[in-house]
Amino acid sequence: FSNFAGGSGEVTIDEENSEIGNAQAETIPVTFRNGAVVDQDAGTVSVGTVEGAALNETVSVPLSGENLQDVGSASLEIGFDASALQFEGVANDQSGLDLQGSANDGTVRIAGQSVEGGSLGDSFVEVEFSFLGGSPALDFLVSSEVTDPQGNVLPAEFADGSVPWCVPGVSFP
């Protein structure tokens, strides 16, 4: 590849049209495995997985970062199943970015900034949901980005999470 723009990209082998042969031009049985091009200098931002959630309880899903210091802003969008989760807010902001959150149509938008810089470490903020049931995934959307205090986009990988159903419950409103 002549140009790497950052992030990660999957590289797959077309198994139907790929083969390896021996010196007599006979096909050798080979298992093909796919790979990826990954930016080794990229930081990561991950949505945690909360297990054992009970119906109608509030669950706090942590967002964690790694290798992301001197952060000037974060704009994160997380897709969720609105029939299984109801967004309540963000809590325990440890980023130094004064992160604020809102939700609409199954998308949580979290954003904040600081001219002094912050850091995205382990459990830098929690996203709170009322759990309505099911096993919903929490997926980062492609519009998510992290910048330094000068506004330059930092290379970052985004890892998804979930809130799997585990404990049935009965509640009275």
Side-chain angles (χ1 to χ4, degrees):
F1 299 99
S2 63
N3 189 1
F4 179 58
S8 66
E10 188 173 337
V11 180
T12 59
I13 299 172
D14 181 358
E15 294 182 36
E16 290 182 25
N17 297 311
S18 299
E19 68 178 35
I20 304 292
N22 63 17
Q24 290 76 39
E26 300 166 332
T27 301
I28 299 172
V30 174
T31 299
F32 294 101
R33 293 194 177 102
N34 299 322
V37 179
V38 179
D39 187 345
Q40 297 298 327
D41 296 326
T44 58
V45 180
S46 309
V47 180
T49 294
V50 174
E51 296 184 15
L55 294 175
N56 297 317
E57 286 189 353
T58 298
V59 294
S60 294
V61 182
L63 302 187
S64 295
E66 186 176 329
N67 298 326
L68 288 168
Q69 288 77 32
D70 197 28
V71 173
S73 73
S75 175
L76 309 171
E77 290 195 351
I78 303 168
F80 67 97
D81 181 353
S83 67
L85 296 170
Q86 179 180 340
F87 176 72
E88 296 293 332
V90 295
N92 300 322
D93 180 5
Q94 305 294 317
S95 68
L97 302 176
D98 190 25
L99 295 171
Q100 304 295 314
S102 64
N104 190 15
D105 296 329
T107 301
V108 173
R109 290 168 184 82
I110 301 169
Q113 62 182 4
S114 170
V115 295
E116 298 171 3
S119 108
L120 304 184
D122 189 44
S123 191
F124 66 87
V125 74
E126 294 176 357
V127 183
E128 295 184 331
F129 296 96
S130 290
F131 180 60
L132 307 177
S135 293
L138 297 169
D139 303 318
F140 274 111
L141 305 181
V142 295
S143 54
S144 298
E145 72 175 19
V146 177
T147 70
D148 66 14
Q150 292 74 39
N152 302 307
V153 176
L154 297 173
E157 302 288 326
F158 294 94
D160 303 326
S162 65
V163 182
W165 176 80
C166 185
V167 181
V170 177
S171 67
F172 298 91

